[in-house]
Amino acid sequence: MKVSFLKGTDDQLKAYSKYINKAETDIILASWNVNYIPELIFSSLMAAKRRGVYISFVVNSVKRKATLDFFENDEEEESTFRLFETKSHAKFLFVDKQYLVLGSFNALGESFEDTEDASFALVGSVPQLWPFYMSLYETYTSLGEDLGGIFDGIAMISKVRNPGTRPLLERRFNDGSRIFLLRTLKEHEDFLKLATPYNGKVTIYSPFSTKDNTFKRLKTLESILPNGTQVHLKVLKQFENGLTRLLSSVPNLKSHAHVDVATSHQKIIALGEETLSVGSLNWLSAAQDEKDLYKNVELSIVLQGSKAAEIIKQYYKN
């Protein structure tokens, strides 16, 4: 299995188009909502539709219903399009169970053209990517909703045969690097609390900041980080002053933390030199409790080891 890092809008557009163009059987595309789809991705999706590829969208809402008309089949034809609306904030593309792109990019129209996004792209055989496919399937079926055929029947059979909760998905590479998938808020919180104290520097890219959730996150960081840890909190310009005020209320963290402005929509945590989390969770503003009424499905990929070190050195060295 190969892992690559995508940074910036152009990288996302080219990767999404490239893998959609390879589709032979099925495409699952998750985004915050459906609006105006970028032209490059839209053209690739239309070509896939003409090839008879099954296309599924997983979204929180539909802002522009007219966009869906392009994907519907004529009444006499078998439908090759599925739409699943649910409490999901995840952003990913899964093609033929061989190509997975997962990160912060909203490919169905709610992208931020003037900001950067980040994603990991995983490419491999069906057996190599199947555990990721099943992990996503179980993440959404855990909501108790009908997936409407978005995941295939083999996934359903596999779940019947193995009805237990799937453990944290982790894979290792020959160089000692490892990669794992965070699917639940608990898994995200456990990762942060267990991994953060052992790194001398913490950088969090979280574009948005809200009063209550951000203050709770700052208190958590205060409780788990040694005083010598350098902390960099990266937000959009409009949230800089609010975050700075909240940080002033957490003095033991403020003494070794800095608020920086970043023109970025990416959701990143870089820990030390060799741990990088990339995904959809806004670490400073999102819900942090499974019982929170406003929580959504959030997905992140964590890469640790020399592969992550190369990316951190190139993109996240303060």
Side-chain angles (χ1 to χ4, degrees):
M1 184 176 68
K2 296 181 180 179
V3 179
S4 58
F5 181 65
L6 310 175
K7 183 79 156 43
T9 301
D10 286 346
D11 271 7
Q12 314 297 321
L13 291 172
K14 291 176 182 177
Y16 269 73
S17 177
K18 173 184 176 180
Y19 297 132
I20 291 170
N21 288 340
K22 292 177 179 290
E24 297 179 359
T25 58
D26 58 277
I27 295 167
I28 304 175
L29 207 166
S31 182
W32 176 237
N33 58 44
V34 177
N35 201 337
Y36 288 93
I37 301 175
E39 182 177 354
L40 189 61
I41 295 175
F42 180 78
S43 297
S44 294
L45 287 170
M46 287 295 96
K49 179 179 183 297
R50 291 191 292 271
R51 296 196 301 273
V53 175
Y54 282 81
I55 299 173
S56 301
F57 292 167
V58 180
V59 298
N60 186 277
S61 62
V62 176
K63 291 185 68 173
R64 185 176 184 268
K65 293 184 179 180
T67 298
L68 299 178
D69 294 340
F70 293 97
F71 297 92
E72 297 289 353
N73 295 75
D74 295 334
E75 291 184 2
E76 65 272 14
E77 296 179 335
E78 178 188 359
S79 176
T80 57
F81 174 68
R82 299 286 188 274
L83 174 71
F84 184 44
E85 290 185 78
T86 190
K87 296 187 68 174
S88 176
H89 187 245
K91 302 96 165 50
F92 67 84
L93 169 71
F94 220 142
V95 174
D96 291 354
K97 307 173 193 65
Q98 298 179 77
Y99 309 96
L100 172 62
V101 180
L102 191 152
S104 64
F105 183 64
N106 288 300
L108 296 179
E110 195 66 14
S111 60
F112 292 73
E113 294 183 358
D114 296 329
T115 65
E116 291 187 329
D117 278 285
S119 302
F120 277 128
L122 280 58
V123 177
S125 65
V126 173
Q128 287 173 328
L129 271 293
W130 180 257
F132 291 88
Y133 186 81
M134 282 301 299
S135 290
L136 298 189
Y137 170 75
E138 293 178 2
T139 296
Y140 284 103
T141 53
S142 69
L143 300 176
E145 300 182 49
D146 180 9
L147 289 176
I150 287 180
F151 292 85
D152 66 22
I154 300 176
M156 301 175 193
I157 294 171
S158 178
K159 182 58 179 175
V160 170
R161 291 177 175 175
N162 302 280
T165 302
R166 186 175 291 269
L168 183 71
L169 174 58
E170 178 183 328
R171 289 291 180 268
R172 291 186 178 271
F173 299 93
N174 291 335
D175 66 357
S177 296
R178 67 176 186 138
I179 190 169
F180 50 96
L181 177 68
L182 305 177
R183 305 161 300 168
T184 66
L185 286 180
K186 184 180 186 305
E187 288 178 352
H188 281 83
E189 293 302 306
D190 286 348
F191 157 72
L192 182 68
K193 292 174 182 177
L194 292 174
T196 304
Y198 303 101
N199 294 273
K201 183 165 59 178
V202 175
T203 301
I204 299 178
Y205 282 79
S206 180
F208 313 112
S209 174
T210 59
K211 183 178 179 181
D212 293 340
N213 285 341
T214 299
F215 183 71
K216 183 177 179 180
R217 173 65 69 212
L218 295 178
K219 292 296 289 183
T220 297
L221 290 173
E222 180 187 46
S223 68
I224 63 177
L225 289 177
N227 287 334
T229 303
Q230 301 176 46
V231 182
H232 293 269
L233 306 174
K234 313 274 190 175
V235 293
L236 294 172
K237 177 64 178 178
Q238 58 266 42
F239 299 100
E240 178 188 17
N241 291 336
L243 177 55
T244 300
R245 286 194 295 270
L246 286 173
L247 187 58
S248 297
S249 301
V250 191
N252 290 336
L253 178 64
K254 183 179 182 298
S255 63
H256 55 107
H258 307 274
V259 176
D260 303 312
V261 172
T263 306
S264 172
H265 182 246
Q266 60 190 316
K267 297 89 164 64
I268 294 283
I269 287 189
L271 304 178
E273 303 293 334
E274 294 191 338
T275 300
L276 183 66
S277 171
V278 177
S280 66
L281 183 70
N282 288 298
W283 289 92
L284 294 179
S285 61
Q288 296 156 46
D289 190 328
E290 292 284 3
K291 297 179 181 179
D292 195 306
L293 294 176
Y294 298 100
K295 78 177 180 70
N296 294 296
V297 171
E298 304 281 6
L299 298 169
S300 300
I301 288 177
V302 178
L303 184 65
Q304 290 183 317
S306 60
K307 294 181 185 296
E310 293 174 5
I311 299 169
I312 292 172
K313 183 177 180 180
Q314 182 174 358
Y315 295 106
Y316 300 107
K317 204 80 169 175
N318 289 311

